[in-house]
Amino acid sequence: MNGNQCIYFCVCVCVSAIQGCGCTLLLWLSLGSLGYPLDCKDDQGSITRCTSISQDKLLDRVIQHAELIYRVSEESCTLFEDMFVPFALHSQRNRGGNMCMTKSFAIPGSKSELQQISDKWLLHSVLMLIQSWIEPMIYLQTTLERYDDAPDALLNKTKWVSDKLLSLEQGVAVLIRKMLDEGVFTSAEFTASLERYDVQLDMPDSVLRDYTLLTCFKKDAHKMETFLKLLKCRQTDKFGCFLF
């Protein structure tokens, strides 16, 4: 079984599993079995683990990391919806894009816009999305722990995503230095985006807010994956990337 088959197999098992502890373990194992970890920092806090590998291999690892983050975000959103959101409000998932905190970001919102932007802005768009979600996902860990009946599967998945976002940020930052030979933004620029979430609400309102957060993150995680795959396509077939 090759790496891509392993990811597909693990995700299929996860989708069919109602109790997600074993599912989360399979996803962790899939990362290990691929041999493509994205833990850039060594024991001293240096990011030499990513800087020492080639640009192409690093981009492959970043893409695989983004794929897994998106798939686990899908599972988390579905699990939360099934557990806590009344069926009449499930349409909120489709309307959630209008309430997402990243809606005002200067990133491509359509296929035509996506095709027109440079590789540089593709990478910086991914980094902006990652950094904008680090603090909200930490917040989500705190608020889910206040739910009386939040399943371990949901807590484990959101914790996994929160941890892996930090690894993805490190990988993309190194990729920017390798491909563009320039520095990167810092996540401090996006702390204001958390203000709308850092407010205590009654449980029904809290559920809807957290549902919106999960829905928005899933949308943005898909954008991260798409932008990175388009970047990879441009490296190998610059004129054949119009499907993105």
Side-chain angles (χ1 to χ4, degrees):
M1 180 181 295
N2 62 33
N4 291 333
Q5 289 173 325
C6 179
I7 287 181
Y8 180 77
F9 171 75
C10 293
V11 171
C12 287
V13 173
C14 292
V15 170
S16 64
I18 301 299
Q19 299 298 326
C21 294
C23 165
T24 303
L25 177 60
L26 280 173
L27 282 166
W28 283 330
L29 289 175
S30 73
L31 277 173
S33 63
L34 281 170
Y36 291 152
L38 194 60
D39 185 7
C40 293
K41 291 187 177 181
D42 58 22
D43 294 339
Q44 286 72 44
S46 171
I47 58 173
T48 54
R49 288 177 179 169
C50 284
T51 56
S52 62
I53 62 177
S54 71
Q55 176 180 302
D56 289 342
K57 287 184 178 179
L58 178 59
L59 180 55
D60 287 340
R61 296 184 189 189
V62 166
I63 289 172
Q64 290 179 343
H65 221 66
E67 286 176 339
L68 283 173
I69 287 174
Y70 172 59
R71 287 167 181 171
V72 177
S73 73
E74 276 193 306
E75 295 164 10
S76 300
C77 192
T78 299
L79 184 56
F80 186 93
E81 185 178 76
D82 292 343
M83 288 289 299
F84 302 111
V85 181
F87 182 77
L89 297 177
H90 282 196
S91 60
Q92 180 80 18
R93 171 182 290 204
N94 297 323
R95 300 197 306 267
N98 295 325
M99 296 179 286
C100 296
M101 64 184 181
T102 57
K103 186 175 184 292
S104 61
F105 284 15
I107 58 176
S110 67
K111 287 188 175 182
S112 60
E113 291 176 347
L114 188 58
Q115 292 295 336
Q116 293 172 15
I117 67 170
S118 65
D119 293 353
K120 173 180 178 177
W121 197 239
L122 271 179
L123 277 172
H124 279 296
S125 295
V126 172
L127 188 63
M128 280 195 295
L129 288 171
I130 295 169
Q131 292 178 336
S132 70
W133 278 107
I134 289 174
E135 290 297 327
M137 292 305 291
I138 292 174
Y139 152 80
L140 186 63
Q141 289 298 299
T142 302
T143 190
L144 287 179
E145 290 173 357
R146 295 200 295 264
Y147 286 49
D148 292 335
D149 50 356
D152 288 342
L154 179 61
L155 297 174
N156 290 339
K157 289 175 190 296
T158 53
K159 175 66 166 61
W160 184 90
V161 167
S162 184
D163 291 342
K164 296 309 174 183
L165 270 180
L166 294 173
S167 297
L168 188 60
E169 180 191 28
Q170 296 164 10
V172 172
V174 175
L175 200 56
I176 287 175
R177 294 189 183 99
K178 282 179 174 288
M179 296 184 71
L180 308 178
D181 192 26
E182 62 182 49
V184 298
F185 300 117
T186 62
S187 57
E189 297 180 39
F190 303 103
T191 53
S193 64
L194 184 59
E195 291 178 359
R196 72 175 70 182
Y197 297 110
D198 194 19
V199 177
Q200 293 289 336
L201 299 175
D202 293 337
M203 183 53 69
D205 291 332
S206 180
V207 167
L208 289 178
R209 179 180 60 183
D210 295 343
Y211 183 41
T212 298
L213 189 151
L214 281 166
T215 301
C216 289
F217 176 72
K218 187 190 73 168
K219 292 176 182 292
D220 284 346
H222 187 251
K223 288 181 183 178
M224 297 175 208
E225 178 187 355
T226 300
F227 291 1
L228 289 166
K229 286 183 175 180
L230 174 57
L231 182 65
K232 175 69 175 180
C233 181
R234 287 178 177 179
Q235 307 305 304
T236 56
D237 184 13
K238 193 171 183 65
F239 300 103
C241 303
F242 296 105
L243 294 178
F244 288 89

